[in-house]
Amino acid sequence: MEDAPSVLVVNGPNLNLLGTREPEIYGTASLDDIKKLIESRAGDYRVKVIFFQSNSEGAIIDHLHRHLDAQGLIINPASFTHTSIAIRDAIASTAIPAVEVHLSNIHAREDFRRVSHIAPVCVGQIAGFGIDSYRLGFDALMRHIGISESR
Ligand code: DQA
């Protein structure tokens, strides 16, 4: 796997509390469950996953800057989705193809969640399927960057 393409999976604030955080909205799976799901899927495509979570905007930006050679990015920016021009600019600056994912359907919740500053610099957005949003996002990203399961 040393030479395998690498894909970043980045999670924003409060997602470290998944499992116990508002389970009626976000479900009962933990961030570690999401990591395992993605790592298993990544194995099917023979890509390396670099999984990361931070509650800090700057740490997320620094992480993206550290991995400019990544082939793709899955990002759940959490509440930074609705506030962060800085993360948006970082994604645009890296030019890494990105897919925005959300556990909940942000378009069916409070008005302030309907705005994503991140989506315009992403290939697309997947929201509302719980942890399956990550798997669907990952499959869509692989297809977008031209990596198939059977290579
Ligand atoms: C979230 C949706 C955001 O609005 C919220 O701030 C989160 C989680 C989701 O995955 O559904 O923290 O990104």
Side-chain angles (χ1 to χ4, degrees), residues 23-151:
E24 65 289 357
I25 298 174
Y26 299 118
T28 52
S30 67
L31 194 60
D32 202 49
D33 293 333
I34 293 174
K35 182 168 185 262
K36 287 187 185 127
L37 173 76
I38 288 295
E39 281 174 348
S40 150
R41 200 68 190 118
D44 297 336
Y45 290 98
R46 298 196 206 171
V47 303
K48 188 176 127 196
V49 168
I50 301 170
F51 202 85
F52 181 76
Q53 187 275 332
S54 178
N55 296 320
S56 150
E57 194 174 22
I60 290 173
I61 294 165
D62 288 342
H63 182 73
L64 295 177
H65 290 182
R66 265 196 306 274
H67 295 284
L68 294 175
D69 56 346
Q71 309 287 299
L73 167 68
I74 300 289
I75 185 162
N76 183 347
S79 55
F80 290 147
T81 306
H82 320 297
T83 61
S84 181
I85 310 293
I87 292 177
R88 173 202 176 114
D89 284 354
I91 295 171
S93 309
T94 65
I96 301 170
V99 175
E100 179 184 324
V101 299
H102 297 282
L103 297 147
S104 65
N105 180 357
I106 56 172
H107 303 285
R109 298 181 61 194
E110 301 95 327
D111 281 352
F112 66 84
R113 291 188 206 275
R114 295 202 182 130
V115 174
S116 170
H117 293 302
I118 311 300
V121 295
C122 291
V123 180
Q125 182 196 70
I126 297 181
F129 296 96
I131 68 170
D132 248 1
S133 292
Y134 284 77
R135 191 186 51 74
L136 292 165
F138 194 83
D139 285 346
L141 179 67
M142 289 300 106
R143 185 179 277 250
H144 178 78
I145 62 181
I147 297 180
S148 60
E149 283 184 70
S150 54
R151 82 195 165 89

